[in-house]
């Protein structure tokens, strides 16, 4: 059986928004960070789907994503401020009909490529916590469809930083290899929206 890979199909925000996310991540208290900081190797992103997939099925899967994204217009997204849950801090992104529909379309497109049995070895450099494996394993049941909450994770903190609402255009979707803390570590393929 082919090796598995922990995969995130995600929106990569435009550079100015990515830079702000890196800045806000750096302002989180160091003693609460648990080692997660956004930077050039831990990419700011808005998750659309997460799965364990077979490495030998990546090309076929990418063809399905090609089809799902064909004609997809760019998204106008609104960051509504800082948010968080448990010890995670993020930039909250409004769940519009357009982003929810894109999320649902990709979840359905990739349903046939999801594989059980992923473990730490499926993550970037084999570096994952038990919590990361559990999160990706349970993504469809606990965090998708009606439970989908778009956001840009900044790191860990008891309180998110103060963030004024702002609007931005999302033009890039990427398939990313997930690393520790389910961070986007390596872009495997990207798509520019129409």
């Amino acid at each position: 059986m082919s090796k598995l890979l922990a995969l995130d199909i995600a929106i990569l925000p435009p550079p100015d928004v990515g830079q702000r996310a890196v800045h806000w991540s750096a302002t989180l208290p160091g003693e609460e960070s648990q080692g997660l900081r956004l930077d050039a190797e831990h990419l700011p992103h808005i998750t659309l789907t997460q799965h364990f997939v077979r490495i030998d099925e990546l090309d076929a899967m990418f063809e399905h994503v090609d089809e799902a994204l064909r004609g997809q217009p760019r998204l106008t997204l609104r960051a509504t401020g800082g948010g968080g849950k448990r010890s995670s801090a993020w930039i909250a992104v409004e769940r519009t009909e357009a982003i929810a529909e894109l999320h649902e379309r990709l979840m359905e497109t990739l349903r046939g490529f999801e594989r059980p049995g992923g473990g730490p070895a499926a993550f970037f450099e084999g570096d994952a916590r038990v919590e990361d494996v559990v999160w990706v394993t349970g993504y469809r049941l606990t965090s998708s469809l009606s439970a989908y909450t778009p956001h840009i994770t900044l790191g860990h903190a008891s309180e998110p930083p103060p963030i004024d609402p702002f609007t931005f255009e999302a033009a890039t979707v990427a398939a990313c290899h997930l690393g520790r803390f389910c961070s986007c570590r390596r872009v495997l393929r990207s798509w520019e929206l129409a």
Side-chain angles (χ1 to χ4, degrees):
M1 177 134 183
S2 173
K3 290 185 177 181
L4 297 179
L5 183 139
L7 183 80
D8 194 321
I9 304 290
I11 292 170
L12 300 184
D16 64 316
V17 175
Q19 290 166 0
R20 283 192 263 178
V22 168
H23 165 75
W24 286 318
S25 176
T27 68
L28 298 177
E31 66 275 7
E32 296 180 26
S33 76
Q34 300 178 35
L36 175 60
R37 294 278 192 218
L38 296 180
D39 56 29
E41 295 183 5
H42 300 81
L43 304 176
H45 65 280
I46 302 168
T47 292
L48 292 167
T49 72
Q50 288 186 354
H51 320 268
F52 288 112
V53 298
R54 285 175 48 163
I55 292 172
D56 65 355
E57 294 181 330
L58 280 175
D59 288 340
M61 187 201 72
F62 290 155
E63 288 178 14
H64 281 72
V65 176
D66 288 343
E67 185 61 33
L69 294 178
R70 186 167 288 119
Q72 170 66 47
R74 295 178 178 202
L75 301 174
T76 299
L77 299 178
R78 183 170 184 271
T80 58
K85 189 174 184 181
R86 293 187 288 273
S87 67
S88 294
W90 59 66
I91 302 168
V93 175
E94 182 179 6
R95 182 189 160 124
T96 62
E97 184 176 325
I99 196 171
E101 193 279 329
L102 178 57
H103 159 74
E104 290 168 10
R105 185 174 354 125
L106 288 168
M107 288 297 295
E108 184 56 32
T109 295
L110 299 180
R111 178 185 296 275
F113 291 96
E114 292 179 32
R115 300 293 177 250
F123 288 76
F124 184 77
E125 296 182 342
D127 184 24
R129 306 167 304 151
V130 170
E131 297 95 321
D132 303 328
V133 174
V134 169
W135 182 266
V136 176
T137 300
Y139 184 82
R140 180 173 290 278
L141 293 176
T142 61
S143 301
S144 73
L145 307 175
S146 64
Y148 178 61
T149 306
H151 62 277
I152 301 172
T153 298
L154 298 174
H156 297 102
S158 53
E159 294 289 331
I163 298 171
D164 292 330
F166 63 93
T167 301
F168 62 98
E169 186 176 80
T172 304
V173 172
C176 299
H177 191 181
L178 287 170
R180 190 173 185 81
F181 300 111
C182 292
S183 58
C184 280
R185 294 299 310 275
R186 181 170 55 118
V187 174
L188 305 172
R189 173 96 181 260
S190 64
W191 297 264
E192 291 302 310
L193 302 181

